[in-house]
Amino acid sequence: MHAFQPYPIDQLKMNPFTKIGKEWALVSAGNKTKCNTMTVSWGGVGVLWGKNVVYIFIRDSRYTKEFLDKGDLFSLSFLNEDYRTALNYCGSHSGRNEDKFAEAGLTPAFRHDIPYPDEANLVLLCRKMAAVPMTEDSFTDSSISSKWYSDHDMHTMYVGEIIEAVAR
């Protein structure tokens, strides 16, 4: 496998609707001592507060949320279709009582002390800028609450500045 190289963000050619919504991504946070990863299929990329950013949504019950809340750094990683089983695993297992990277067949790697799966082909390394809890009273569409939050396991929206993009 080729080593990761910095990738100019203004040359990034990705469709976020496909990459995040259909192919999914992994959010990883923590440090070399302890880290976790999880699959996300809600989020996006854009510009906010004069910065290139990603925004992702993580439910309150998720173990990875604890790492995002404690630290300032996280990664959003994209893998090719060969890793669909790993993405499924990381979206349906906690990591609270196991090494989820290992169980999913992934290898944790670090850049700027930010964890990411070494098997990825594109990684967005991010510095957390905001953590915004979603609340039921903020929905202007009343169907959202009953459809997505009947269990009241709400999301927090994390906005992260992309400090570096790396690709193979």
Side-chain angles (χ1 to χ4, degrees):
M1 230 180 231
H2 297 342
F4 280 98
Q5 300 295 322
Y7 194 91
I9 198 85
D10 59 350
Q11 292 179 23
L12 198 58
K13 294 193 182 357
M14 68 175 256
N15 180 328
F17 301 102
T18 303
K19 280 286 186 209
I20 297 169
K22 290 187 174 68
E23 296 175 6
W24 308 338
L26 287 177
V27 172
S28 305
N31 57 43
K32 290 180 181 171
T33 306
K34 193 153 181 68
C35 62
N36 202 51
T37 191
M38 67 172 276
T39 302
V40 290
S41 62
W42 289 8
V45 294
V47 178
L48 184 63
W49 304 313
K51 307 280 186 186
N52 296 320
V53 301
V54 300
Y55 53 95
I56 54 171
F57 299 83
I58 298 185
R59 288 193 188 268
D60 292 341
S61 63
R62 299 301 190 252
Y63 182 51
T64 302
K65 184 179 187 304
E66 296 176 23
F67 292 91
L68 277 154
D69 288 342
K70 280 185 208 161
D72 293 328
L73 304 168
F74 66 93
S75 66
L76 187 64
S77 303
F78 301 92
L79 294 86
N80 68 32
E81 195 57 36
D82 297 344
Y83 293 96
R84 178 57 61 177
T85 301
L87 285 160
N88 278 318
Y89 188 90
C90 292
S92 59
H93 292 78
S94 166
R96 201 178 299 271
N97 299 310
E98 67 179 42
D99 178 346
K100 196 189 318 186
F101 275 98
E103 293 297 325
L106 300 171
T107 310
F110 295 85
R111 189 172 178 104
H112 308 298
D113 294 325
I114 304 171
Y116 64 90
D118 195 47
E119 292 76 9
N121 51 30
L122 172 65
V123 179
L124 303 177
L125 301 154
C126 303
R127 181 183 61 81
K128 186 173 65 179
M129 296 177 73
V132 183
M134 313 260 325
T135 57
E136 293 185 44
D137 62 356
S138 68
F139 303 133
T140 56
D141 177 341
S142 60
S143 70
I144 293 172
S145 228
S146 59
K147 181 173 182 179
W148 298 103
Y149 300 103
S150 60
D151 60 358
H152 305 289
D153 187 10
M154 303 304 288
H155 281 97
T156 295
M157 177 181 68
Y158 293 90
V159 178
E161 175 187 5
I162 301 169
I163 56 174
E164 186 179 34
V166 294
R168 291 198 185 277

Short mmCIF file of all heavy atoms in Angstrom, two decimals, residues 42-73:
data_model
loop_
_atom_site.label_atom_id
_atom_site.label_comp_id
_atom_site.label_asym_id
_atom_site.label_seq_id
_atom_site.Cartn_x
_atom_site.Cartn_y
_atom_site.Cartn_z
N TRP A 42 -24.36 10.23 8.10
CA TRP A 42 -24.96 11.56 8.13
C TRP A 42 -23.84 12.56 8.34
O TRP A 42 -23.02 12.42 9.24
CB TRP A 42 -25.94 11.70 9.29
CG TRP A 42 -27.22 10.93 9.14
CD1 TRP A 42 -27.55 10.02 8.18
CD2 TRP A 42 -28.35 11.00 10.01
NE1 TRP A 42 -28.80 9.54 8.40
CE2 TRP A 42 -29.32 10.12 9.52
CE3 TRP A 42 -28.63 11.72 11.17
CZ2 TRP A 42 -30.56 9.95 10.13
CZ3 TRP A 42 -29.85 11.55 11.77
CH2 TRP A 42 -30.80 10.68 11.26
N GLY A 43 -23.81 13.58 7.51
CA GLY A 43 -22.80 14.63 7.66
C GLY A 43 -22.55 15.31 6.34
O GLY A 43 -23.28 15.11 5.37
N GLY A 44 -21.50 16.10 6.32
CA GLY A 44 -21.18 16.80 5.10
C GLY A 44 -19.88 17.55 5.21
O GLY A 44 -19.18 17.49 6.23
N VAL A 45 -19.55 18.24 4.14
CA VAL A 45 -18.35 19.08 4.08
C VAL A 45 -18.79 20.44 3.53
O VAL A 45 -19.77 20.54 2.80
CB VAL A 45 -17.24 18.48 3.18
CG1 VAL A 45 -16.70 17.20 3.77
CG2 VAL A 45 -17.75 18.24 1.78
N GLY A 46 -18.06 21.47 3.93
CA GLY A 46 -18.42 22.79 3.45
C GLY A 46 -17.50 23.84 4.03
O GLY A 46 -16.38 23.54 4.44
N VAL A 47 -18.01 25.05 4.09
CA VAL A 47 -17.25 26.18 4.61
C VAL A 47 -18.10 26.82 5.70
O VAL A 47 -19.29 27.08 5.51
CB VAL A 47 -16.94 27.20 3.49
CG1 VAL A 47 -16.20 28.40 4.05
CG2 VAL A 47 -16.14 26.54 2.37
N LEU A 48 -17.49 27.04 6.85
CA LEU A 48 -18.17 27.66 7.98
C LEU A 48 -17.15 28.43 8.78
O LEU A 48 -16.02 27.95 8.98
CB LEU A 48 -18.83 26.58 8.85
CG LEU A 48 -19.67 27.05 10.04
CD1 LEU A 48 -20.88 27.86 9.57
CD2 LEU A 48 -20.14 25.83 10.84
N TRP A 49 -17.51 29.63 9.24
CA TRP A 49 -16.63 30.46 10.05
C TRP A 49 -15.28 30.68 9.37
O TRP A 49 -14.22 30.72 10.00
CB TRP A 49 -16.44 29.87 11.45
CG TRP A 49 -17.75 29.65 12.17
CD1 TRP A 49 -18.78 30.53 12.26
CD2 TRP A 49 -18.15 28.47 12.88
NE1 TRP A 49 -19.81 29.97 12.99
CE2 TRP A 49 -19.45 28.71 13.38
CE3 TRP A 49 -17.55 27.24 13.13
CZ2 TRP A 49 -20.16 27.78 14.12
CZ3 TRP A 49 -18.25 26.32 13.88
CH2 TRP A 49 -19.54 26.58 14.36
N GLY A 50 -15.31 30.78 8.03
CA GLY A 50 -14.10 31.05 7.27
C GLY A 50 -13.16 29.86 7.16
O GLY A 50 -12.01 30.02 6.77
N LYS A 51 -13.62 28.67 7.49
CA LYS A 51 -12.78 27.47 7.47
C LYS A 51 -13.42 26.38 6.62
O LYS A 51 -14.64 26.32 6.48
CB LYS A 51 -12.62 26.90 8.90
CG LYS A 51 -12.15 27.89 9.94
CD LYS A 51 -10.67 28.09 9.87
CE LYS A 51 -10.21 28.98 11.03
NZ LYS A 51 -8.81 29.30 10.92
N ASN A 52 -12.58 25.50 6.06
CA ASN A 52 -13.07 24.28 5.41
C ASN A 52 -13.41 23.31 6.52
O ASN A 52 -12.56 23.02 7.37
CB ASN A 52 -12.00 23.69 4.50
CG ASN A 52 -11.66 24.62 3.36
OD1 ASN A 52 -12.54 25.26 2.78
ND2 ASN A 52 -10.39 24.72 3.03
N VAL A 53 -14.64 22.81 6.53
CA VAL A 53 -15.11 22.00 7.65
C VAL A 53 -15.80 20.72 7.19
O VAL A 53 -16.23 20.59 6.04
CB VAL A 53 -16.09 22.78 8.55
CG1 VAL A 53 -15.45 24.04 9.13
CG2 VAL A 53 -17.38 23.12 7.82
N VAL A 54 -15.88 19.79 8.14
CA VAL A 54 -16.79 18.66 8.05
C VAL A 54 -17.79 18.83 9.18
O VAL A 54 -17.49 19.49 10.19
CB VAL A 54 -16.09 17.28 8.19
CG1 VAL A 54 -15.04 17.09 7.11
CG2 VAL A 54 -15.49 17.09 9.55
N TYR A 55 -18.97 18.27 9.00
CA TYR A 55 -19.90 18.20 10.11
C TYR A 55 -20.48 16.79 10.12
O TYR A 55 -20.77 16.19 9.07
CB TYR A 55 -20.98 19.28 10.05
CG TYR A 55 -21.74 19.36 8.75
CD1 TYR A 55 -22.96 18.71 8.60
CD2 TYR A 55 -21.24 20.08 7.67
CE1 TYR A 55 -23.66 18.78 7.40
CE2 TYR A 55 -21.94 20.15 6.47
CZ TYR A 55 -23.14 19.50 6.35
OH TYR A 55 -23.82 19.56 5.16
N ILE A 56 -20.55 16.24 11.32
CA ILE A 56 -20.99 14.87 11.51
C ILE A 56 -21.98 14.84 12.67
O ILE A 56 -22.00 15.76 13.50
CB ILE A 56 -19.81 13.92 11.79
CG1 ILE A 56 -18.99 14.43 12.96
CG2 ILE A 56 -18.95 13.74 10.54
CD1 ILE A 56 -17.94 13.47 13.47
N PHE A 57 -22.76 13.80 12.72
CA PHE A 57 -23.79 13.66 13.74
C PHE A 57 -23.58 12.34 14.47
O PHE A 57 -23.51 11.29 13.84
CB PHE A 57 -25.17 13.70 13.09
CG PHE A 57 -25.44 15.00 12.38
CD1 PHE A 57 -24.98 15.21 11.09
CD2 PHE A 57 -26.10 16.02 13.03
CE1 PHE A 57 -25.19 16.42 10.44
CE2 PHE A 57 -26.32 17.23 12.39
CZ PHE A 57 -25.87 17.44 11.10
N ILE A 58 -23.49 12.41 15.81
CA ILE A 58 -23.25 11.21 16.60
C ILE A 58 -24.27 11.17 17.74
O ILE A 58 -24.46 12.16 18.46
CB ILE A 58 -21.81 11.18 17.14
CG1 ILE A 58 -20.86 11.15 15.95
CG2 ILE A 58 -21.60 9.98 18.06
CD1 ILE A 58 -19.41 11.00 16.28
N ARG A 59 -24.90 10.01 17.88
CA ARG A 59 -25.91 9.84 18.94
C ARG A 59 -25.26 9.84 20.32
O ARG A 59 -24.12 9.41 20.49
CB ARG A 59 -26.68 8.54 18.74
CG ARG A 59 -27.64 8.61 17.56
CD ARG A 59 -28.62 7.43 17.59
NE ARG A 59 -29.41 7.37 16.38
CZ ARG A 59 -30.60 7.96 16.23
NH1 ARG A 59 -31.12 8.67 17.21
NH2 ARG A 59 -31.26 7.84 15.10
N ASP A 60 -26.05 10.31 21.30
CA ASP A 60 -25.57 10.40 22.68
C ASP A 60 -25.08 9.06 23.21
O ASP A 60 -24.15 9.01 24.02
CB ASP A 60 -26.70 10.91 23.59
CG ASP A 60 -27.06 12.37 23.31
OD1 ASP A 60 -26.24 13.09 22.68
OD2 ASP A 60 -28.17 12.78 23.71
N SER A 61 -25.70 7.96 22.78
CA SER A 61 -25.37 6.64 23.32
C SER A 61 -24.07 6.06 22.79
O SER A 61 -23.58 5.05 23.32
CB SER A 61 -26.50 5.66 23.00
OG SER A 61 -26.62 5.51 21.58
N ARG A 62 -23.47 6.66 21.78
CA ARG A 62 -22.31 6.05 21.13
C ARG A 62 -21.02 6.25 21.93
O ARG A 62 -20.73 7.33 22.43
CB ARG A 62 -22.12 6.62 19.73
CG ARG A 62 -23.28 6.39 18.78
CD ARG A 62 -23.57 4.90 18.60
NE ARG A 62 -24.52 4.67 17.53
CZ ARG A 62 -25.77 4.29 17.70
NH1 ARG A 62 -26.26 4.11 18.90
NH2 ARG A 62 -26.56 4.09 16.67
N TYR A 63 -20.26 5.18 22.02
CA TYR A 63 -18.99 5.20 22.75
C TYR A 63 -18.01 6.19 22.13
O TYR A 63 -17.30 6.92 22.85
CB TYR A 63 -18.41 3.78 22.75
CG TYR A 63 -17.12 3.61 23.51
CD1 TYR A 63 -16.99 4.07 24.83
CD2 TYR A 63 -16.04 2.96 22.93
CE1 TYR A 63 -15.80 3.89 25.52
CE2 TYR A 63 -14.86 2.78 23.63
CZ TYR A 63 -14.74 3.24 24.92
OH TYR A 63 -13.57 3.06 25.61
N THR A 64 -17.95 6.28 20.83
CA THR A 64 -17.02 7.20 20.16
C THR A 64 -17.30 8.65 20.56
O THR A 64 -16.39 9.48 20.60
CB THR A 64 -17.10 7.03 18.63
OG1 THR A 64 -16.80 5.67 18.31
CG2 THR A 64 -16.11 7.93 17.91
N LYS A 65 -18.53 8.96 20.92
CA LYS A 65 -18.89 10.32 21.34
C LYS A 65 -18.06 10.75 22.56
O LYS A 65 -17.67 11.91 22.66
CB LYS A 65 -20.38 10.41 21.63
CG LYS A 65 -20.84 11.82 21.99
CD LYS A 65 -22.33 11.86 22.26
CE LYS A 65 -22.83 13.27 22.45
NZ LYS A 65 -22.17 14.03 23.51
N GLU A 66 -17.79 9.81 23.46
CA GLU A 66 -16.98 10.13 24.64
C GLU A 66 -15.59 10.63 24.23
O GLU A 66 -15.06 11.56 24.82
CB GLU A 66 -16.84 8.91 25.55
CG GLU A 66 -18.16 8.44 26.14
CD GLU A 66 -18.03 7.16 26.96
OE1 GLU A 66 -16.91 6.86 27.44
OE2 GLU A 66 -19.06 6.47 27.11
N PHE A 67 -15.02 10.03 23.20
CA PHE A 67 -13.69 10.43 22.71
C PHE A 67 -13.76 11.81 22.04
O PHE A 67 -12.87 12.63 22.22
CB PHE A 67 -13.14 9.40 21.74
CG PHE A 67 -12.79 8.09 22.38
CD1 PHE A 67 -13.73 7.07 22.46
CD2 PHE A 67 -11.53 7.87 22.92
CE1 PHE A 67 -13.42 5.86 23.06
CE2 PHE A 67 -11.21 6.66 23.52
CZ PHE A 67 -12.16 5.66 23.60
N LEU A 68 -14.82 12.04 21.27
CA LEU A 68 -14.99 13.34 20.63
C LEU A 68 -15.21 14.45 21.67
O LEU A 68 -14.70 15.55 21.51
CB LEU A 68 -16.18 13.31 19.66
CG LEU A 68 -15.83 12.75 18.30
CD1 LEU A 68 -17.05 12.16 17.62
CD2 LEU A 68 -15.23 13.81 17.43
N ASP A 69 -15.94 14.13 22.73
CA ASP A 69 -16.20 15.13 23.76
C ASP A 69 -14.94 15.46 24.57
O ASP A 69 -14.75 16.60 24.98
CB ASP A 69 -17.33 14.67 24.69
CG ASP A 69 -18.68 14.71 23.99
OD1 ASP A 69 -18.82 15.38 22.95
OD2 ASP A 69 -19.61 14.02 24.48
N LYS A 70 -14.09 14.46 24.79
CA LYS A 70 -12.86 14.66 25.59
C LYS A 70 -11.76 15.37 24.83
O LYS A 70 -10.98 16.11 25.40
CB LYS A 70 -12.32 13.31 26.08
CG LYS A 70 -13.03 12.75 27.28
CD LYS A 70 -12.33 11.48 27.73
CE LYS A 70 -13.32 10.55 28.42
NZ LYS A 70 -12.87 9.19 28.50
N GLY A 71 -11.65 15.09 23.54
CA GLY A 71 -10.52 15.59 22.77
C GLY A 71 -10.90 16.69 21.81
O GLY A 71 -12.08 17.02 21.63
N ASP A 72 -9.89 17.25 21.17
CA ASP A 72 -10.10 18.33 20.20
C ASP A 72 -9.91 17.88 18.76
O ASP A 72 -10.12 18.67 17.85
CB ASP A 72 -9.11 19.48 20.47
CG ASP A 72 -9.38 20.18 21.79
OD1 ASP A 72 -10.56 20.26 22.19
OD2 ASP A 72 -8.42 20.62 22.43
N LEU A 73 -9.49 16.63 18.56
CA LEU A 73 -9.13 16.17 17.22
C LEU A 73 -9.90 14.91 16.86
O LEU A 73 -10.19 14.08 17.72
CB LEU A 73 -7.62 15.89 17.15
CG LEU A 73 -6.71 17.06 17.53
CD1 LEU A 73 -5.27 16.58 17.71
CD2 LEU A 73 -6.78 18.16 16.49
#
